[in-house]
Amino acid sequence: MSEFWLISAPGDQENLQALERMNTVTAKSNLSYNTKFSIPDFKVGTLDSLVGLSDELGKLDTFAESLIKKMAQSVVEVMEDAKGKVPENLLANGVDLTSFVTHFEWDMAKYPAKQPLVSVVDTLAKQLAQIETDLKSRTASYNTLKTNLDNLEKKSMGNLFTRTLSDIVSKEDFVLGSEYLVTLLVIVPKPSYAQWQKTYESLSDMVVPRSTKLIAEDNEGGLFTVTLFRKVIEDFKTKAKENKFTVREFYYDEKEIKREREEMSRLLSDKKQQYGPLLRWLKVNFSEAFIAWIHIKALRVFVESVLRYGLPVNFQAVLLQPHKKSSTKRLREVLNSVFRHLDQVAAASILDASVEIPGLQLSTQDYFPYVYFRIDLSLLD
């Protein structure tokens, strides 16, 4: 499973023994893979400041998770033609995300533990805010380019009734520069090809004999040229419609066709030029944002552990990776049983759903007798 549970318990002898029991039971029952999760000692400050940080870190945690999800989705969208290679671009410090989480080490150079906690949190918040700002501007530019290109490409898709014709006709298909003659394009259903060949010259007066030519086909019909005098255009259109032939409103404009082709070439070139730098930026900054997110999780464990277990700071953090989704309920029961002594009332209510405590509403989602945070990497799949 790409899900982790980050928990902590007091570091006294009784609770270290409880952690050992947890490791023994979870290993024997094949419930989870457990490792110690190292968190440095920070400058605690006042308990009031920790309460404020607890709330701020909760919001920052949610923001960071949302940001890395957006970045992962951006990588998927940018790598539209190579989605199989997406995972190798969603790394943290050059390793896969699971390996980074299970071998997490606090980055002292980037987030010095000797600084006040408020400063560390502020550094993380500013870093993530800058990444989000850059993400918006970079992806907006690329997405606008991609949308314009998609719109042009859509014009060359669809059937003969709706698609652009500028890429399938040529100058030679038309009589151009004549004061009297004009070439029309007519869509003829496939079953009616023979009827068209027999009747098109007589659909109106002044149709040039033997002037029709099939220049394109799709599954439903063919696109034919026909040349006639300008004065009978409307009469020809009416008669063609009566025979289930459709005249496409198209007049050959060499400058406009050239402009469309140049626009397509320019957009393709711009997209190619932006693709590499954008993907590299996403790769680097996804890593930075993910690393920051796991540091935020570590800070949350530290702050909540101090608030829960008190001073002096003494707790042990453990990372659990449940083996199967079906075993998470049993794993939760084991943890609640092992650590029920941390809060007898709350643990009892969790273990026995039938216990009701007046004025107190608890569930396994709301409260645990130990500090608990979840890291869900499946959100990035």
Side-chain angles (χ1 to χ4, degrees):
M1 280 181 68
S2 51
E3 176 183 323
F4 298 88
W5 295 359
L6 189 51
I7 71 167
S8 80
D12 57 39
Q13 189 60 36
E14 179 186 6
N15 285 291
L16 290 177
Q17 289 174 353
L19 286 169
E20 285 302 318
R21 287 201 304 277
M22 177 195 74
N23 288 332
T24 300
V25 174
T26 55
K28 189 177 293 185
S29 302
N30 196 31
L31 295 176
S32 62
Y33 172 72
N34 308 339
T35 56
K36 285 186 177 182
F37 193 86
S38 298
I39 301 174
D41 289 330
F42 295 99
K43 291 183 178 180
V44 174
T46 65
L47 289 179
D48 280 348
S49 68
L50 286 183
V51 171
L53 273 179
S54 175
D55 182 56
E56 187 176 344
L57 282 167
K59 295 175 182 176
L60 192 56
D61 187 352
T62 301
F63 173 71
E65 182 176 333
S66 173
L67 178 60
I68 62 175
K69 283 167 64 178
K70 288 178 187 174
M71 299 188 78
Q73 184 58 37
S74 294
V75 171
V76 171
E77 291 171 359
V78 169
M79 299 188 71
E80 54 190 324
D81 298 325
K83 289 186 178 178
K85 294 185 177 181
V86 166
E88 65 191 57
N89 287 280
L90 297 179
L91 304 175
N93 260 359
V95 300
D96 65 87
L97 305 183
T98 295
S99 296
F100 180 83
V101 174
T102 53
H103 297 89
F104 173 78
E105 291 182 6
W106 186 270
D107 190 336
M108 292 291 186
K110 192 177 292 184
Y111 314 110
K114 291 182 179 180
Q115 287 186 349
L117 272 174
V118 175
S119 298
V120 177
V121 174
D122 187 56
T123 297
L124 285 160
K126 287 179 177 176
Q127 178 190 8
L128 291 172
Q130 186 60 54
I131 290 175
E132 184 196 38
T133 299
D134 292 346
L135 174 67
K136 286 179 179 178
S137 63
R138 288 172 181 268
T139 55
S141 174
Y142 186 81
N143 288 337
T144 298
L145 179 63
K146 188 170 177 289
T147 298
N148 292 339
L149 187 56
D150 288 344
N151 289 338
L152 273 182
E153 289 175 342
K154 281 178 183 176
K155 287 183 179 180
S156 61
M157 300 169 72
N159 58 35
L160 292 171
F161 290 93
T162 58
R163 62 158 294 160
T164 183
L165 302 178
S166 59
D167 61 333
I168 57 177
V169 299
S170 64
K171 187 176 181 179
E172 289 70 29
D173 297 324
F174 297 85
V175 172
L176 300 173
S178 171
E179 182 180 350
Y180 302 105
L181 296 176
V182 65
T183 299
L184 302 182
L185 298 177
V186 183
I187 301 169
V188 179
K190 280 191 173 179
S192 303
Y193 280 10
Q195 181 190 353
W196 167 258
Q197 293 287 357
K198 289 177 183 177
T199 63
Y200 81 90
E201 293 180 8
S202 59
L203 289 178
S204 177
D205 294 335
M206 308 178 84
V207 175
V208 177
R210 294 187 298 280
S211 63
T212 193
K213 180 176 68 170
L214 176 64
I215 58 174
E217 281 186 298
D218 62 16
N219 293 332
E220 299 169 9
L223 186 68
F224 288 80
T225 60
V226 60
T227 300
L228 43 85
F229 279 75
R230 292 180 182 274
K231 62 166 63 177
V232 297
I233 288 178
E234 294 307 317
D235 181 53
F236 183 88
K237 286 182 179 180
T238 301
K239 295 290 177 53
K241 186 175 182 180
E242 290 173 359
N243 285 271
K244 295 184 170 50
F245 305 139
T246 304
V247 176
R248 269 290 304 262
E249 295 294 335
F250 180 88
Y251 296 95
Y252 188 86
D253 184 333
E254 194 165 16
K255 289 183 179 178
E256 178 62 20
I257 290 174
K258 183 181 179 183
R259 188 198 67 76
E260 276 192 27
R261 288 172 180 168
E262 287 177 347
E263 177 69 2
M264 175 69 83
S265 297
R266 183 187 67 78
L267 290 173
L268 285 169
S269 176
D270 288 351
K271 184 183 177 186
K272 188 176 180 180
Q273 287 178 3
Q274 288 190 28
Y275 174 86
L278 177 59
L279 184 58
R280 284 192 294 274
W281 184 91
L282 284 169
K283 185 175 181 179
V284 169
N285 286 274
F286 173 85
S287 174
E288 291 295 310
F290 184 86
I291 291 169
W293 184 43
I294 303 305
H295 279 75
I296 291 166
K297 292 289 188 184
L299 283 172
R300 294 195 75 186
V301 172
F302 180 87
V303 170
E304 295 304 322
S305 297
V306 175
L307 289 173
R308 181 78 67 90
Y309 308 136
L311 295 170
V313 177
N314 184 24
F315 68 89
Q316 176 62 59
V318 179
L319 185 74
L320 293 81
Q321 184 178 16
H323 286 315
K324 295 181 293 185
K325 195 168 186 64
S326 58
S327 67
T328 54
K329 183 179 179 182
R330 172 60 182 150
L331 179 58
R332 179 68 67 204
E333 291 171 352
V334 168
L335 296 183
N336 289 337
S337 175
V338 168
F339 296 108
R340 65 183 304 174
H341 62 280
L342 293 176
D343 191 333
Q344 293 285 355
V345 175
S349 68
I350 291 169
L351 288 168
D352 185 357
S354 65
V355 174
E356 293 185 6
I357 306 171
L360 187 63
Q361 293 181 331
L362 293 169
S363 73
T364 53
Q365 283 75 37
D366 299 324
Y367 184 83
F368 308 105
Y370 44 89
V371 171
Y372 160 81
F373 293 104
R374 185 165 172 259
I375 302 172
D376 188 1
L377 302 187
S378 65
L379 297 172
L380 305 176
D381 292 344

